[in-house]
Amino acid sequence: MRLTQITHHDLDGYGASTVAAACATVERVVHVPRYSDVGPVFEDEIKRLGRAAESEILLMTDLGLEEQTIAGLKKFAAMNRRRDEGRTHRLVVLDHHASSLDQLRRLGLEPAADPERPGLNRIDLGDPGIAVLIEEDLCATRMTFDHRALFASHEPETDLSSLLAAVDALDLWRKESPAFRGGLALDELFWDVVSSFVPVGHPWHDRFVSDILLGAAAALRDGAVAAELERRAVAIRGDVVDALLRDAPDDDPALTTRMRLARALARSDALFRPLKDGTLLSFALDSGTFQRVSDLIMDAGRAKRVVNVQRMGNLSFRSNDGTALDGARLFRGGGHRDAAGGRLQSGSAFSMADAIAQVEPVLNPEKPAGSDSPFAALKNWKG
């Protein structure tokens, strides 16, 4: 059964996706930084699943349940009731936020304490295919491991114990735990790599981050202290990149990690979407990566103009034909002819699709009906 995961964009969220990938084949992972964006992302998944021919599993981890998301739980149950027997979907929600319990109660869904597991609360939506579990005393990474029977296809072959301990201690801020310092070091390493090398949206992203977390957790399991883990971080990252690029035709180990990866990113069809005028759009690339990748794309002749949209609404245009500034001006921006920036009117974007929906109509506005007619120019003529 196809498995999709929606998870938080922090160490615990990626810890949960790392555990899930060790227990099942995860087709796609969606990382959501803000709880306010969970509702729209969930809504899109419900629409997609409503059209899906076969049964699927949707796993949601480490995401605070706000009003729109809770409405989505009810929509998911209603969608399942409309589907034929044997084609219903499964939903697994693993959360640990006290605010989620408050919101559920406020909206008429009373959590029920599990009699066999102290601290675990279950939400009954009248559908055996939906499991909503909230456990305040555990991080989402450990919850994903403990409740893996709800979605897993096999047992993990990797020892996850040090990862579980480090993330649990860090995420719940258990400073008295022996694993807390290792968790702090793991968190620092995570934020150094999560958006700087292989961006969200690229097929390698989750493997890249998870392999680094697992490599770092293995070092902690072998007794490495925080300072030693920091010193090993570059070597751990290098080993992961070597594995990713082993069969790349244009890899050059003499280059830096970012330079090596940029060549692979520039070839990606998943990371860039063409707009109607041929501009290629990317979403949430960090500035250094975008600079290198956009240059490689234009050198290869894939596009004359590239734009990157950040989650917080900033746009960066690059071109080799002097049109970057033209694009930026449409978004209240400025800069150089081939390197300029602007800002989305809404102030933010939560996904690639959202970014395209906001940028495309501004860069390529629809022509009024009949404007291509040879008589259009005479419409307002007063002779």
Side-chain angles (χ1 to χ4, degrees):
M1 196 178 293
R2 181 180 180 184
L3 172 61
T4 298
Q5 184 175 11
I6 306 175
T7 193
H8 198 201
H9 187 84
D10 68 352
L11 176 63
D12 195 19
Y14 276 81
S17 61
T18 298
V19 171
C23 303
T25 300
V26 183
E27 295 285 339
R28 183 167 57 94
V29 184
V30 181
H31 298 279
V32 185
R34 300 175 298 190
Y35 296 146
S36 59
D37 289 338
V38 178
V41 172
F42 189 21
E43 181 78 23
D44 286 348
E45 285 301 310
I46 293 171
K47 291 177 182 176
R48 183 187 67 79
L49 289 169
R51 300 187 298 268
E54 303 298 329
S55 299
E56 298 188 22
I57 303 174
L58 179 60
L59 173 64
M60 298 175 64
T61 51
D62 196 32
L63 299 168
L65 305 182
E66 298 193 351
E67 187 167 341
Q68 188 177 357
T69 307
I70 294 170
L73 298 177
K74 298 176 181 178
K75 286 183 181 179
F76 191 102
M79 172 194 65
N80 256 356
R81 288 194 293 271
R82 294 191 298 269
R83 291 179 68 84
D84 296 336
E85 186 177 352
R87 295 178 59 247
T88 57
H89 300 300
R90 288 165 55 192
L91 173 64
V92 179
V93 179
L94 305 176
D95 188 24
H96 68 138
H97 295 91
S99 60
S100 297
L101 293 170
D102 296 338
Q103 289 280 47
L104 287 161
R105 291 189 180 102
R106 187 177 69 82
L107 295 170
L109 292 173
E110 185 62 34
D114 189 306
E116 298 180 1
R117 186 169 173 129
L120 174 62
N121 293 276
R122 297 178 181 271
I123 310 302
D124 184 6
L125 288 157
D127 183 336
I130 300 177
V132 181
L133 311 182
I134 301 176
E135 201 162 6
E136 291 184 64
D137 295 333
L138 295 179
C139 71
T141 300
R142 188 174 288 279
M143 283 189 72
T144 305
F145 181 79
D146 287 358
H147 299 289
R148 61 193 182 279
L150 293 169
F151 65 87
S153 58
H154 56 267
E155 283 297 294
E157 298 178 358
T158 304
D159 185 347
L160 300 171
S161 58
S162 56
L163 176 71
L164 300 175
V167 177
D168 199 61
L170 185 281
D171 198 67
L172 300 178
W173 211 248
R174 291 178 171 147
K175 293 190 286 185
E176 74 285 356
S177 169
F180 180 73
R181 285 189 176 181
L184 279 176
L186 198 63
D187 192 52
E188 291 178 4
L189 188 155
F190 164 76
W191 286 114
D192 283 345
V193 302
V194 69
S195 60
S196 300
F197 296 97
V198 182
V200 173
H202 191 276
W204 289 352
H205 174 77
D206 286 279
R207 176 185 168 189
F208 175 73
V209 177
S210 290
D211 285 354
I212 287 176
L213 291 180
L214 290 172
L220 293 174
R221 189 172 61 249
D222 292 341
V225 297
E228 189 175 358
L229 181 58
E230 182 179 45
R231 288 192 292 270
R232 289 194 197 179
V234 173
I236 291 171
R237 188 182 69 206
D239 289 344
V240 171
V241 172
D242 285 343
L244 285 173
L245 298 178
R246 183 169 291 124
D247 298 321
D250 57 354
D251 182 39
D252 183 355
L255 300 176
T256 66
T257 297
R258 193 188 295 269
M259 292 176 188
R260 293 172 68 191
L261 285 170
R263 297 184 177 193
L265 299 180
R267 295 193 298 268
S268 174
D269 291 327
L271 199 58
F272 299 91
R273 303 290 173 82
L275 303 181
K276 292 177 181 177
D277 63 355
T279 299
L280 288 183
L281 182 145
S282 60
F283 177 65
L285 290 185
D286 90 299
S287 298
T289 299
F290 177 65
Q291 178 67 36
R292 288 162 177 77
V293 174
S294 62
D295 184 60
L296 289 168
I297 284 174
M298 291 184 292
D299 280 352
R302 288 187 60 191
K304 293 182 177 180
R305 184 167 68 181
V306 184
V307 58
N308 183 53
V309 181
Q310 294 288 2
R311 294 182 186 276
M312 298 310 294
N314 294 327
L315 284 78
S316 295
F317 285 88
R318 296 292 183 270
S319 67
N320 60 8
D321 62 354
T323 61
L325 182 57
D326 296 333
R329 282 173 173 158
L330 295 173
F331 294 90
R332 300 168 293 159
H336 305 286
R337 295 194 181 279
D338 282 323
R343 186 164 181 79
L344 293 176
Q345 182 142 5
S346 71
S348 66
F350 67 86
S351 67
M352 170 74 83
D354 184 33
I356 292 172
Q358 295 190 62
V359 173
E360 182 79 87
V362 179
L363 279 186
N364 305 296
E366 293 289 341
K367 294 180 179 180
S371 62
D372 292 332
S373 166
F375 303 104
L378 301 176
K379 183 177 180 180
N380 297 314
W381 180 64
K382 296 179 182 179

